Amino acid sequence: MPQRSKTLFDAEINNPDTDVDFAREIVPVPVDEEMSESFLAYSLSVITSRAIPDARDGLKPVQRRILYSMLNMGIRPDGPHRKSARVVGDTMGKYHPHGDAAIYDALVRLAQEFARPIALIDPHGNFGTLDDPPAAPRYTECRLADAAMEMLAEIDEDTVDHRPTYDGDSTEPECLPGRLPNLLVNGTTGIAVGMATNMAPHNLREVAEAIRLVMTKRRPKPTIDQLLDVLPGPDFPSGGMAIDSEEGGLRQICESGRGSIRLQAKMAPVKLTRSRKGIEVTELPFMVGPEKVVKRINDLIVDGKLPGIHDARNLSDRHHGLRILIECEPHVEPEKLYYDLFRLTPLEETFAVNNVVLVNGVPTTVGLYDLCRHYIDHRLNVVVRRTRYRLGRARDRHHILEGLITALDNIDEVVAIIRGSDDAAEARERLQDALDLTEVQAAHILDMQLRRLTALEKQKIIDERDELIALIDELEKLLGSDQRQRTVVLKELDELVEQFGQDRRTEIVAHQDAPVYEATPVEELTPKAEGPCVVTLSTTGVVGRASVGGRRRSQFGRHDLLTASVEADLGDTVLAVTSAGRVIASSVSAIPEVSGRSRGAGASEVFGTIRSEAVLTLVLPGSDPLALVTAGGTVKRVDLSDADKGRAAKQVIKLKPNDKVEAAFCAPDTAEMVLVSAHGRALRAPIESISVQGRGASGVRGMKLKNGDRIIAAAGAVGDEAVIMVGANGSVDITPVTDIPATGRDGVGTQLDGGEPLAMAVIAPAADLLAEVDDNGKPAKAPVPFPLESGDADHAVVLSVGMPRW
């Protein structure tokens, strides 16, 4: 600390009453006055230098500086991509003294095709999606796109004014020549202080027609209806459907620059299976990502706010584009779900337009006509300044060529003057006096090469002079004719349409023509559910339900047996446990009924499983804890009290790589678990030795396996069960569970046979293990010797549980 400052500081600390002046002059200023002046300066800076685009080129300062910096760096469409970090650094160091994150974000927006119809930067690398951010600038590369070159074209021909950069080292353009009507085509968004802008993108072909109408029909100027005929509304790169409001939102936007419209996704019903339909979404509202939609729908399903919908999946890819599949519950018509989907999810959004732009540095809200007029005025000014520049260059060149021709016509005199002069200055003066030349002409004569003395070179000079005379005449006519200037603007605009024009992607729908979807009562989306029934699962993965009561013979197909069954009510929920460790809920009423020759439907169809998993068993919510046993010997118990909440599948065990769930069963704490391995070893342990864990846990080791052994069967036992083992050679061995020594978990088990590999194993009560074989050795279907009553359902459906037909 300087000595004087330290002395003043010590004086104030040691004697607070001492009057010490820290400034030469103290000017009292009211707080409200200082805040208003400072805030005003800050707000004006944000409005004019950061957030609001210029009406001429439709660019914010940071966007303009990025493009200008890339042009000066030579990063053009015909060259290689360069690191985005280099562009950000050059822009920040030379033109835009703000944060690198903000500059990179603006650069990314200029390159994202889903954010603007015509990108100004050609990206290379991960520039993000609607759901994911882009990679860091050190990983991505970029270069100017062809459209950006149209924005920057002729910038070196004195077409726009330049101003000093923030440090005064160089200059930057106040706006770009902007041959492309960027503001109308790409739109923009920005938040300033006390105001904001949100401009919709439009179709280039329609914008060109609107500009042509404004340019050619000046008195009287075009009406709103005439403008809407050629440019009916925004055209978003994501497509979708734009619905005009009842109050005429599109007309209001065109007229005043403010208004709102509804954006809806494009959806179509699709048939998934015989009993289930779905909704396919192929286009979304502007700036809405598919993952956002899928997450919102699935969250609403879990909360029970979207009845009639089973699941939503994002099936988009780079080959087929956007595709979201919304799966309905069985026998539910998709059209009945549209109302809730549009009301509760981002499948419908409102786009509020607020056309605030800088006109001569002043924030102004403008309509479609004014936007077209500002573009026309800017382009006419660019054409005039460009023509003047080119005319001046042509006249200068013509002046030089006239001097060269004069020199060639008097070459002997020119040579004599040059040879007789002491230096170049004397030769220049003597040439000017002798041939009536200007200083510029004389200087170029002295610089003329000897090869220009040939007849061929002289003819080239004469031809170039004649071409320049014609060009000068054409440029002078262009400067003198307003109609010619307008024709040039329209011609250049037509060339852009030919190069960058695209078909309309967003469908414009009038309010009276828009489809109307009404709310569907919940009872219509949920099938009537009443009455007891039995839900069964067979070995071939067929799930079906049958009403309890009446006499029915078993109708299994060949090589098909029941593996699981539960008795429930039509209004209940049944849970399917899969080999992937997932629990999937389905309403009992949604399961196909067993009738006639139909035995139900495939479990993958009913529960929506993936190809690599199989349904192992069926359980009811609120049952005893579910025990899961994997092929690798891991055992886990999980509570099923909330497994029926929502329709989405729930992962209930964290599996190791290449492991799968081999068996699943519900058992009380008083039961025992029995595990059987492929090498014929069995382990018997109390089930309560396995603690109940949460869904994200991996479980504990139940049995130690050696030499490539794996678990092939597991079940809960209460006393009279038996283990039936079928060897790979066809032998069958039955061992009561009570003959297996009871041990704790994590043991190696007991060898039950001679160590031969097993083909399969079944653990079930001996009374339920029945098989009937006729005299010719063929299996026969066992008749049910009693009516299928409610109390006997379990006994009826476990006849031959797990027994193959051999």
Short mmCIF file of all heavy atoms in Angstrom, two decimals, residues 674 714-717 719-724 734-737 761-770 798 800-803:
data_model
loop_
_atom_site.label_atom_id
_atom_site.label_comp_id
_atom_site.label_asym_id
_atom_site.label_seq_id
_atom_site.Cartn_x
_atom_site.Cartn_y
_atom_site.Cartn_z
N VAL A 674 -34.65 -72.77 -3.29
CA VAL A 674 -33.90 -73.91 -3.81
C VAL A 674 -33.34 -73.50 -5.16
O VAL A 674 -34.09 -73.07 -6.05
CB VAL A 674 -34.80 -75.16 -3.95
CG1 VAL A 674 -33.99 -76.31 -4.52
CG2 VAL A 674 -35.40 -75.52 -2.61
N ALA A 714 -34.89 -72.40 -10.16
CA ALA A 714 -34.96 -71.90 -8.79
C ALA A 714 -36.43 -71.70 -8.45
O ALA A 714 -37.25 -71.40 -9.32
CB ALA A 714 -34.20 -70.58 -8.65
N ALA A 715 -36.76 -71.92 -7.17
CA ALA A 715 -38.15 -71.76 -6.73
C ALA A 715 -38.17 -71.65 -5.23
O ALA A 715 -37.17 -71.93 -4.53
CB ALA A 715 -39.01 -72.93 -7.21
N GLY A 716 -39.32 -71.20 -4.70
CA GLY A 716 -39.53 -71.18 -3.27
C GLY A 716 -40.16 -72.49 -2.81
O GLY A 716 -40.98 -73.08 -3.52
N ALA A 717 -39.77 -72.96 -1.67
CA ALA A 717 -40.25 -74.25 -1.16
C ALA A 717 -40.79 -74.07 0.26
O ALA A 717 -40.24 -73.31 1.06
CB ALA A 717 -39.12 -75.27 -1.16
N GLY A 719 -42.05 -77.21 1.86
CA GLY A 719 -41.94 -78.51 2.55
C GLY A 719 -42.08 -79.73 1.69
O GLY A 719 -41.25 -80.62 1.74
N ASP A 720 -43.11 -79.81 0.82
CA ASP A 720 -43.35 -81.06 0.09
C ASP A 720 -42.97 -80.97 -1.37
O ASP A 720 -43.41 -81.79 -2.18
CB ASP A 720 -44.83 -81.46 0.21
CG ASP A 720 -45.73 -80.38 -0.37
OD1 ASP A 720 -45.24 -79.25 -0.61
OD2 ASP A 720 -46.93 -80.66 -0.60
N GLU A 721 -42.12 -80.01 -1.75
CA GLU A 721 -41.69 -79.90 -3.13
C GLU A 721 -40.63 -80.95 -3.46
O GLU A 721 -39.98 -81.51 -2.56
CB GLU A 721 -41.14 -78.51 -3.43
CG GLU A 721 -42.19 -77.42 -3.47
CD GLU A 721 -42.58 -76.93 -2.10
OE1 GLU A 721 -41.95 -77.40 -1.11
OE2 GLU A 721 -43.49 -76.10 -1.98
N ALA A 722 -40.46 -81.17 -4.75
CA ALA A 722 -39.43 -82.09 -5.23
C ALA A 722 -38.70 -81.45 -6.39
O ALA A 722 -39.24 -80.60 -7.10
CB ALA A 722 -40.06 -83.41 -5.66
N VAL A 723 -37.47 -81.90 -6.60
CA VAL A 723 -36.65 -81.42 -7.71
C VAL A 723 -36.61 -82.52 -8.75
O VAL A 723 -36.15 -83.63 -8.48
CB VAL A 723 -35.23 -81.06 -7.24
CG1 VAL A 723 -34.39 -80.59 -8.43
CG2 VAL A 723 -35.26 -80.00 -6.16
N ILE A 724 -37.14 -82.24 -9.94
CA ILE A 724 -37.10 -83.19 -11.05
C ILE A 724 -36.01 -82.73 -12.00
O ILE A 724 -36.05 -81.61 -12.53
CB ILE A 724 -38.45 -83.27 -11.78
CG1 ILE A 724 -39.53 -83.83 -10.85
CG2 ILE A 724 -38.34 -84.15 -13.01
CD1 ILE A 724 -40.21 -82.78 -10.05
N ILE A 734 -35.75 -87.74 -9.50
CA ILE A 734 -36.59 -86.94 -8.63
C ILE A 734 -36.03 -86.99 -7.22
O ILE A 734 -35.79 -88.08 -6.68
CB ILE A 734 -38.04 -87.45 -8.63
CG1 ILE A 734 -38.62 -87.40 -10.05
CG2 ILE A 734 -38.90 -86.63 -7.69
CD1 ILE A 734 -40.02 -87.92 -10.16
N THR A 735 -35.82 -85.79 -6.63
CA THR A 735 -35.27 -85.71 -5.28
C THR A 735 -36.15 -84.78 -4.47
O THR A 735 -36.36 -83.62 -4.86
CB THR A 735 -33.83 -85.15 -5.30
OG1 THR A 735 -33.01 -85.99 -6.10
CG2 THR A 735 -33.28 -85.07 -3.89
N PRO A 736 -36.74 -85.28 -3.34
CA PRO A 736 -37.50 -84.37 -2.47
C PRO A 736 -36.62 -83.24 -1.96
O PRO A 736 -35.43 -83.43 -1.69
CB PRO A 736 -37.99 -85.28 -1.35
CG PRO A 736 -37.92 -86.65 -1.93
CD PRO A 736 -36.75 -86.67 -2.85
N VAL A 737 -37.21 -82.08 -1.81
CA VAL A 737 -36.45 -80.94 -1.32
C VAL A 737 -35.92 -81.19 0.08
O VAL A 737 -34.82 -80.75 0.44
CB VAL A 737 -37.34 -79.66 -1.38
CG1 VAL A 737 -36.67 -78.52 -0.63
CG2 VAL A 737 -37.61 -79.26 -2.81
N ALA A 761 -34.46 -78.65 -15.27
CA ALA A 761 -34.86 -79.02 -13.92
C ALA A 761 -36.13 -78.28 -13.58
O ALA A 761 -36.37 -77.16 -14.04
CB ALA A 761 -33.76 -78.69 -12.92
N VAL A 762 -36.99 -78.93 -12.75
CA VAL A 762 -38.25 -78.37 -12.31
C VAL A 762 -38.37 -78.56 -10.82
O VAL A 762 -38.05 -79.64 -10.30
CB VAL A 762 -39.45 -79.03 -13.03
CG1 VAL A 762 -40.76 -78.45 -12.51
CG2 VAL A 762 -39.35 -78.83 -14.53
N ILE A 763 -38.82 -77.50 -10.12
CA ILE A 763 -39.04 -77.58 -8.68
C ILE A 763 -40.51 -77.28 -8.44
O ILE A 763 -40.98 -76.17 -8.71
CB ILE A 763 -38.16 -76.57 -7.93
CG1 ILE A 763 -36.68 -76.76 -8.29
CG2 ILE A 763 -38.37 -76.69 -6.42
CD1 ILE A 763 -35.80 -75.64 -7.82
N ALA A 764 -41.28 -78.27 -7.96
CA ALA A 764 -42.72 -78.09 -7.78
C ALA A 764 -43.22 -79.13 -6.79
O ALA A 764 -42.56 -80.15 -6.55
CB ALA A 764 -43.44 -78.21 -9.11
N PRO A 765 -44.41 -78.92 -6.18
CA PRO A 765 -44.99 -79.93 -5.31
C PRO A 765 -45.23 -81.23 -6.06
O PRO A 765 -45.64 -81.25 -7.23
CB PRO A 765 -46.31 -79.30 -4.85
CG PRO A 765 -46.09 -77.83 -5.03
CD PRO A 765 -45.20 -77.69 -6.21
N ALA A 766 -44.98 -82.35 -5.39
CA ALA A 766 -45.11 -83.65 -6.04
C ALA A 766 -46.54 -83.91 -6.48
O ALA A 766 -46.78 -84.56 -7.51
CB ALA A 766 -44.64 -84.75 -5.09
N ALA A 767 -47.53 -83.44 -5.74
CA ALA A 767 -48.92 -83.70 -6.09
C ALA A 767 -49.32 -83.04 -7.40
O ALA A 767 -50.30 -83.44 -8.04
CB ALA A 767 -49.84 -83.23 -4.98
N ASP A 768 -48.57 -82.02 -7.81
CA ASP A 768 -48.92 -81.30 -9.03
C ASP A 768 -48.14 -81.78 -10.24
O ASP A 768 -48.31 -81.28 -11.33
CB ASP A 768 -48.66 -79.80 -8.86
CG ASP A 768 -49.58 -79.21 -7.80
OD1 ASP A 768 -50.65 -79.80 -7.59
OD2 ASP A 768 -49.22 -78.19 -7.21
N LEU A 769 -47.26 -82.77 -10.05
CA LEU A 769 -46.43 -83.23 -11.15
C LEU A 769 -47.07 -84.46 -11.76
O LEU A 769 -46.79 -85.60 -11.37
CB LEU A 769 -45.02 -83.53 -10.65
CG LEU A 769 -44.27 -82.32 -10.11
CD1 LEU A 769 -42.97 -82.73 -9.47
CD2 LEU A 769 -44.01 -81.32 -11.21
N LEU A 770 -47.96 -84.26 -12.68
CA LEU A 770 -48.69 -85.36 -13.31
C LEU A 770 -48.42 -85.34 -14.81
O LEU A 770 -48.34 -84.29 -15.43
CB LEU A 770 -50.20 -85.22 -13.07
CG LEU A 770 -50.66 -85.20 -11.61
CD1 LEU A 770 -52.17 -85.02 -11.57
CD2 LEU A 770 -50.25 -86.48 -10.89
N VAL A 798 -51.90 -75.45 -12.41
CA VAL A 798 -50.55 -75.93 -12.19
C VAL A 798 -50.41 -77.41 -12.46
O VAL A 798 -49.40 -78.00 -12.15
CB VAL A 798 -50.08 -75.64 -10.74
CG1 VAL A 798 -49.98 -74.17 -10.50
CG2 VAL A 798 -51.00 -76.29 -9.73
N SER A 800 -49.13 -80.20 -14.35
CA SER A 800 -48.01 -80.33 -15.28
C SER A 800 -47.19 -79.06 -15.39
O SER A 800 -46.63 -78.78 -16.44
CB SER A 800 -48.51 -80.73 -16.67
OG SER A 800 -49.28 -81.90 -16.60
N VAL A 801 -47.09 -78.29 -14.32
CA VAL A 801 -46.28 -77.07 -14.36
C VAL A 801 -44.85 -77.43 -14.71
O VAL A 801 -44.22 -78.26 -14.07
CB VAL A 801 -46.33 -76.34 -13.01
CG1 VAL A 801 -45.21 -75.33 -12.91
CG2 VAL A 801 -47.66 -75.63 -12.88
N GLY A 802 -44.32 -76.76 -15.74
CA GLY A 802 -42.92 -76.93 -16.11
C GLY A 802 -42.59 -78.26 -16.73
O GLY A 802 -41.45 -78.49 -17.11
N MET A 803 -43.52 -79.20 -16.81
CA MET A 803 -43.21 -80.53 -17.35
C MET A 803 -43.24 -80.47 -18.87
O MET A 803 -44.23 -80.09 -19.47
CB MET A 803 -44.22 -81.55 -16.85
CG MET A 803 -44.12 -81.81 -15.36
SD MET A 803 -42.58 -82.63 -14.96
CE MET A 803 -42.86 -84.22 -15.70
#
